[in-house]
Amino acid sequence: MGKQEVSVTSFLMDFAAGGISGAVAKTATAPIERVKLIIQTQDANPMIKSGEVPRYTGIINCFSRVYSEQGLVAFWRGNFTNVIRYFPTQAFNFAFKDTIKALFPRYSPKTQFFWFFMTNMASGGLAGAGSLCIVYPLDYARTRLASDVGSKQKSFNGLMDCLVKTAKGPSGVMGLYNGFGVSVAGIIPYRGVYFGMFDSLMGINPFTKQGGIIALFSKFVVAQTTAITAGYASYPFDTIRRRLQMQSEKPKSEWIYKGTVDCFYKILAEEGVGAMFKGAGANAIRTVGSALVLVLYGEIKTLMGFEGGAGGGE
């Protein structure tokens, strides 16, 4: 019974630490994340495709136009939804990852590095896919709220308006899950690298146990490297799912893309391989938030009296 109580308490601490660190980091990086989403989805945005709203030519151009057309507060449009989404997403990711990892054999990072890395990647990927099933409608709403452009009437007036209008549309409730399949496919390499690489690098980080600013800085460097690598590994999957989400509330006759495969081929044929990485520069800057999540997670657990280390790293 004692072990079970410790296990439940540890799970709840993982849940709280992951959620709090995620909410703080997402709010801090909300402006750059909104810019990334606008650039990434503009080729599927009807207002931009019709010429009603001019295209965004880059990160600086997008920043200046959002500020001039919608005001400073607009950089946080959809952030409330993102925090709501991110709390359970990140919390379940971290909590389930450690729980799932406990089901695998334990390997030494020094003598069995390959199996240590593969175990971390598998547990991270499964945790990410599981949590996505729960929070995908919120992820959809985040994309749609953040991708509103121009200074005219918004497509949606908030989280509930977005969810209700989409659910009442031609696709029904399933419209909220448009792009879900490619999201699950993409979450495996993203979370796999995100958690697996971090825990693996931390396992061989010589500064981890030194304490103080050196240990904290080394954690941040490892976290930043991990976040950027994971972001690029899964970015094409993310681009496809965002494009599919942009057409969810419309009749299928008005869809630009018939599905994941059609979207993939159309982007390559009409825009080239580089289009798969539109907004990736802003995303690389945004990964500072992801790195902060990993570092904050470990520090919050330490303050709670549990072992530090992001994602339950050993």
Side-chain angles (χ1 to χ4, degrees), residues 2-16:
K3 287 185 178 179
Q4 186 176 3
E5 289 178 355
V6 171
S7 178
V8 171
T9 303
S10 179
F11 182 91
L12 291 175
M13 290 302 102
D14 279 345
F15 189 94

Side-chain angles (χ1 to χ4, degrees), residues 52-71:
E52 183 178 350
V53 174
R55 290 180 58 82
Y56 296 90
T57 57
I59 297 174
I60 303 301
N61 175 256
C62 189
F63 262 112
S64 62
R65 284 179 53 190
V66 169
Y67 178 74
S68 62
E69 295 169 357
Q70 301 178 4

Side-chain angles (χ1 to χ4, degrees), residues 122-198:
S123 59
L126 289 172
S131 64
L132 191 67
C133 295
I134 301 170
V135 300
Y136 194 80
L138 293 175
D139 180 75
Y140 160 75
R142 163 61 175 162
T143 300
R144 297 308 306 272
L145 292 173
S147 60
D148 262 334
V149 296
S151 55
K152 296 184 179 180
Q153 180 69 31
K154 300 180 180 68
S155 300
F156 302 104
N157 294 318
L159 172 60
M160 291 308 300
D161 183 56
C162 178
L163 295 177
V164 171
K165 279 184 178 178
T166 303
K168 287 184 177 180
S171 299
V173 175
M174 291 310 296
L176 299 173
Y177 283 86
N178 205 6
F180 179 78
V182 71
S183 296
V184 171
I187 206 70
I188 299 298
Y190 180 79
R191 289 298 172 190
V193 174
Y194 187 68
F195 286 116
M197 186 175 178
F198 183 84

Side-chain angles (χ1 to χ4, degrees), residues 73-94:
V73 179
F75 284 110
W76 281 268
R77 176 165 168 75
N79 184 60
F80 176 69
T81 301
N82 204 28
V83 169
I84 294 175
R85 173 192 72 86
Y86 201 70
F87 192 97
T89 300
Q90 199 71 348
F92 280 125
N93 280 340
F94 281 119

Side-chain angles (χ1 to χ4, degrees), residues 26 29-45 48 55-64 66 74-77 82 85-86 139 142-149 183 190 227-228 230-232 234-243 245-246 275-288 290:
K26 279 296 180 184
T29 59
I32 189 65
E33 184 163 5
R34 182 159 189 226
V35 167
K36 171 254 184 187
L37 284 171
I38 290 174
I39 295 173
Q40 187 179 28
T41 61
Q42 66 176 335
D43 287 287
N45 192 312
I48 293 176
R55 290 180 58 82
Y56 296 90
T57 57
I59 297 174
I60 303 301
N61 175 256
C62 189
F63 262 112
S64 62
V66 169
F75 284 110
W76 281 268
R77 176 165 168 75
N82 204 28
R85 173 192 72 86
Y86 201 70
D139 180 75
R142 163 61 175 162
T143 300
R144 297 308 306 272
L145 292 173
S147 60
D148 262 334
V149 296
S183 296
Y190 180 79
I228 291 176
Y232 275 99
S234 63
Y235 203 83
F237 294 91
D238 189 58
T239 294
I240 292 173
R241 71 146 169 178
R242 303 288 184 192
R243 297 282 186 98
Q245 287 175 340
M246 290 295 291
M276 289 290 186
F277 294 90
K278 284 183 178 178
N283 191 59
I285 299 173
R286 185 186 64 86
T287 56
V288 172
S290 298

Side-chain angles (χ1 to χ4, degrees), residues 106-129:
R106 297 173 67 88
Y107 297 100
S108 169
K110 295 180 179 178
T111 60
Q112 299 171 298
F113 182 81
F114 174 77
W115 290 112
F116 177 76
F117 180 83
M118 293 303 294
T119 298
N120 281 321
M121 179 172 285
S123 59
L126 289 172

